[in-house]
Amino acid sequence: MNRPQPHEPRQPGTPAPTATAPSTTSTSRTVDALRELILRGELAPGARLAEVELAGRLGVSRTPVRSALTQLATEGLVEVAPNRGARVATWTVRELEGIFDLRTALEPRAAALAARHATADDTAELAHLAERMVEVGTPGRGQDLDALAELNRRFHDRLSALADNAALANALSGAVHAPIVLRNFHTYDVESLRRSLAHHVEIVAAIRAGDAVWAEAVMTAHMRNARAVMVAAAQAAEG
C-alpha cells in the first residue's frame, strides 16, 4: 500500500510556494481580451459590462473579469460607477471636439519649437520612431496597433521634450488622453491611417530642414485628421 509522503518542513527564510501565478496569468489574458473587444468595437461605447456574461464569453471565472475591469478603468477604457456596475467608457461628440481642438492648439506649437531646437541626433531618433510606425502600422498581416500606439506616444512625447517649454509640456500632458489615442488607431479607416503615418514622416522632414512653419502645418493636419475620425465615430454612435 502506497502511503502519502509527508511534506518536508519549509526552512526558515524560504518563501512559501505561491499560488498566484495562474490567477495573475488569467487576469492578464482577460485584460488583453477585454481591451481588444473594446478597441475593435465588439463592446460598444456605453455597453454594460456584466461580470457573469463576460466570464462566460471568455471562459474564465468572475475573479479575473473583476480584476480586468478594475485595470481597464485605470486605463480609461472602462467606467465603474458605484451600484451601477461597469460600462465601456464613452466620450460625447462635444467632449471629443473639445479635446482635439485643445490638442490642435498645442501639438503644432510643440512641433514648431522642436524644429528650432532639434539636433541631428534628435532628428535621427524621431526618424527611427516614424519609420517603425510605418512598419507596424501599415495595414496588412504584420500590423500591430498596440505597438503603433506606444511608438506614437514616444514620438509625441519626444516632440514635447524638444520643444523645451515646461508650460506647454504640462498643458499637453493634460490634453492627451491615452485611451482616446489608442482607440483612434483602431477606429481609423485604411486611408486615414496611411495619412496619419505619412504625417509623422513629413514632420521629421520638416524638423530635419529646421522649418518650424512646415512642422506646425503638418502637425495641424495630423490633428485634424485624428479629430475627423473620432468625431465621425462618436456621431455615428450617438445616432
Side-chain angles (χ1 to χ4, degrees), residues 171-185:
L172 273 171
S173 66
V176 177
H177 295 251
I180 293 178
V181 175
L182 185 58
R183 186 175 285 175
N184 208 114
F185 285 122

Side-chain angles (χ1 to χ4, degrees), residues 100-159:
F100 279 102
D101 286 349
L102 180 57
R103 288 190 65 190
T104 302
L106 299 173
E107 297 265 16
R109 180 59 179 164
L113 290 173
R116 293 171 183 160
H117 299 153
T119 65
D121 287 343
D122 295 328
T123 305
E125 180 183 355
L126 289 169
H128 173 71
L129 291 171
E131 290 163 7
R132 285 289 296 140
M133 277 189 275
V134 172
E135 290 173 8
V136 305
T138 298
R141 294 180 60 185
Q143 187 183 58
D144 185 342
L145 294 180
D146 290 336
L148 175 60
E150 173 60 18
L151 289 165
N152 179 77
R153 181 193 65 77
R154 290 168 56 190
F155 185 90
H156 286 267
D157 283 354
R158 191 72 188 111
L159 286 179

Side-chain angles (χ1 to χ4, degrees), residues 85-98:
R87 294 182 181 276
V88 178
T90 60
W91 293 277
T92 66
V93 170
R94 186 170 183 178
E95 286 171 337
L96 286 169
E97 287 176 337

Side-chain angles (χ1 to χ4, degrees), residues 5-237:
Q5 297 298 312
H7 293 290
E8 293 185 8
R10 183 164 52 93
Q11 297 300 316
T14 302
T18 177
T20 60
S23 176
T24 301
T25 301
S26 180
T27 297
S28 177
R29 289 175 178 169
T30 304
V31 168
D32 291 342
L34 284 177
R35 185 189 293 113
E36 191 66 18
L37 289 172
I38 291 171
L39 293 174
R40 287 205 310 259
E42 293 186 36
L43 293 172
R48 182 171 172 271
L49 300 171
E51 291 179 8
V52 173
E53 293 175 9
L54 291 173
R57 181 172 183 172
L58 300 175
V60 297
S61 69
R62 292 179 63 180
T63 299
V65 170
R66 188 177 302 116
S67 298
L69 292 175
T70 299
Q71 180 169 329
L72 292 173
T74 66
E75 295 179 15
L77 290 174
V78 168
E79 297 169 345
V80 180
N83 304 318
R84 289 178 17 189
R87 294 182 181 276
V88 178
T90 60
W91 293 277
T92 66
V93 170
R94 186 170 183 178
E95 286 171 337
L96 286 169
E97 287 176 337
I99 289 168
F100 279 102
D101 286 349
L102 180 57
R103 288 190 65 190
T104 302
L106 299 173
E107 297 265 16
R109 180 59 179 164
L113 290 173
R116 293 171 183 160
H117 299 153
T119 65
D121 287 343
D122 295 328
T123 305
E125 180 183 355
L126 289 169
H128 173 71
L129 291 171
E131 290 163 7
R132 285 289 296 140
M133 277 189 275
V134 172
E135 290 173 8
V136 305
T138 298
R141 294 180 60 185
Q143 187 183 58
D144 185 342
L145 294 180
D146 290 336
L148 175 60
E150 173 60 18
L151 289 165
N152 179 77
R153 181 193 65 77
R154 290 168 56 190
F155 185 90
H156 286 267
D157 283 354
R158 191 72 188 111
L159 286 179
S160 178
L162 289 172
D164 195 25
N165 184 308
L168 180 60
N170 288 335
L172 273 171
S173 66
V176 177
H177 295 251
I180 293 178
V181 175
L182 185 58
R183 186 175 285 175
N184 208 114
F185 285 122
H186 287 261
T187 306
Y188 277 130
D189 56 42
V190 171
E191 290 306 314
S192 295
L193 180 55
R194 290 186 185 278
R195 192 179 302 120
S196 177
L197 296 172
H199 285 155
H200 291 103
V201 175
E202 188 174 357
I203 288 167
V204 174
I207 290 174
R208 183 177 288 114
D211 192 327
V213 175
W214 183 10
E216 186 170 14
V218 180
M219 182 61 83
T220 299
H222 184 60
M223 288 294 104
R224 300 300 291 186
N225 181 51
R227 182 187 190 277
V229 169
M230 290 302 289
V231 169
Q235 288 172 333

